[in-house]
Amino acid sequence: RSQSVVSNMAAATSDSIGAAIGVAGRRGPKRVFVERDYSRGTAVRFEMKFPRELEGRVDEQAFLDVICRINAICDEAEHIGCASCLEGTLAWLTLFTIHMCTRTNYEKCLDTIADYVRQKNVTLFNPRGLTMVDPMERGLRVVSTISLCVCVCVCV
């Protein structure tokens, strides 16, 4: 009997966690993912595919423009030029203590992506009942879009 109680509690906990994080096939917000594109190697880049789950919710070209801009910022972050070489050399010469005083170009680009996603949520996604999650929150593995449940209450 105690074993069945424990397994029932585990199942209930699993269901509530699933509902909270929106696991596919369970209650909660629906999530749509745009996976990483490894066709050009391991550089951070996301697939330029429009998820069919978003058809009718957001304009395809507007969505692809957002993904394209995120990809462009990621390309800028991973660009190796004079500035990044100087940054690496200064880090090495200061035993990497310079990173306590300044942010790296990569960190600045990640902040730019976060700001851009926040801006697009306000102007493009939120009015349509969607929210795009900053890719850094998912370890730069996916760009996820959450379909928000909009409840309308009528007070009499």
Side-chain angles (χ1 to χ4, degrees):
R1 174 154 162 62
S2 65
Q3 231 176 1
S4 67
V5 170
V6 170
S7 65
N8 287 342
M9 287 175 55
T13 304
S14 173
D15 286 343
S16 63
I17 291 171
I21 62 173
V23 175
R26 299 198 182 177
R27 296 172 298 159
K30 182 172 171 102
R31 295 174 186 264
V32 179
F33 298 98
V34 176
E35 301 286 331
R36 282 272 296 270
D37 179 7
Y38 291 101
S39 65
R40 296 185 188 175
T42 58
V44 178
R45 184 164 203 72
F46 299 97
E47 292 180 345
M48 292 294 295
K49 292 182 183 174
F50 182 71
R52 62 182 175 88
E53 296 89 354
L54 296 179
E55 287 179 4
R57 301 282 312 267
V58 66
D59 180 52
E60 180 176 354
Q61 190 56 48
F63 183 83
L64 293 176
D65 287 346
V66 171
I67 299 297
C68 185
R69 178 69 182 130
I70 290 173
N71 284 340
I73 296 170
C74 290
D75 289 343
E76 178 186 331
E78 296 191 0
H79 175 73
I80 298 174
C82 292
S84 62
C85 289
L86 179 63
E87 185 178 280
T89 303
L90 283 173
W92 184 78
L93 289 173
T94 63
L95 301 174
F96 295 92
T97 56
I98 194 169
H99 293 310
M100 290 188 292
C101 305
T102 63
R103 298 180 55 77
T104 65
N105 183 53
Y106 200 87
E107 291 171 325
K108 291 174 187 174
C109 288
L110 290 178
D111 290 343
T112 303
I113 291 173
D115 291 340
Y116 180 69
V117 168
R118 268 193 298 275
Q119 174 199 5
K120 286 301 174 182
N121 276 332
V122 170
T123 60
L124 179 66
F125 295 111
N126 290 350
R128 291 168 175 81
L130 300 168
T131 296
M132 181 175 274
V133 178
D134 177 12
M136 190 57 196
E137 291 184 24
R138 300 274 178 226
L140 295 173
R141 294 176 295 120
V142 295
V143 174
S144 63
T145 306
I146 302 171
S147 177
L148 303 174
C149 175
V150 179
C151 300
V152 178
C153 298
V154 178
C155 298
V156 182

